[in-house]
Every structure is written in C-alpha cells, then in structure tokens.
Amino acid sequence: PARRRSGRIYLGGVALSVLTSFGLSSTGGFNAGHALGILALLIVGGALLVPRLSFLGKARTYLAQLGFSFSFFLLL
C-alpha cells in the first residue's frame, strides 16, 4: 500500500488525523480518543512491517490488509 499513491495518501491522512486530534481534545488530558489514535498508528506500523516477515509465508498479504482495514475501523 505504501508503494501506490493512494496508499501514501492514506498513510499521510492517518498520521495527520491522529496527530491533529491530540491538540483538538478539550478534556485536558489523556482520553479514549488518544488511545485509539495511538493504537491505530501502532497497527499501521505493524501492517507496514508484516510483509517483511518471511516466516509468515502467504499470510503476510492478508495480515497487512487486515491491519490497514482495522486501522480504518478504529478511526471511524
């Protein structure tokens, strides 16, 4: 996904949305929205790392797509 233009746009959008959400919170402290944003960033990072793990075999593609889909779900 990071090789295609649409993938780079998605990754940039995820990073931008999570980072800007930290400053928009009006609760004054750490809340569930912050936790979901951090979790989404970790999952996207893992989804980018999975294709490099050769011991996963053919599951690498499916796990990477699952990670990107789950990050989208978390950001809804």
Side-chain angles (χ1 to χ4, degrees):
R3 288 175 272 161
R4 292 186 174 184
R5 184 176 182 198
S6 59
R8 289 191 301 269
I9 290 171
Y10 176 72
L11 293 175
V14 166
L16 186 64
S17 67
V18 170
L19 294 176
T20 56
S21 72
F22 292 151
L24 296 175
S25 177
S26 61
T27 62
F30 191 79
N31 60 30
H34 293 119
L36 288 174
I38 292 169
L39 184 60
L41 287 177
L42 290 174
I43 289 172
V44 166
L48 289 171
L49 179 68
V50 164
R52 299 176 188 202
L53 303 175
S54 60
F55 68 89
L56 293 173
K58 293 181 180 180
R60 293 182 296 183
T61 305
Y62 299 108
L63 291 172
Q65 290 304 315
L66 176 67
F68 289 120
S69 298
F70 189 59
S71 70
F72 181 78
F73 170 74
L74 286 176
L75 295 175
L76 283 178

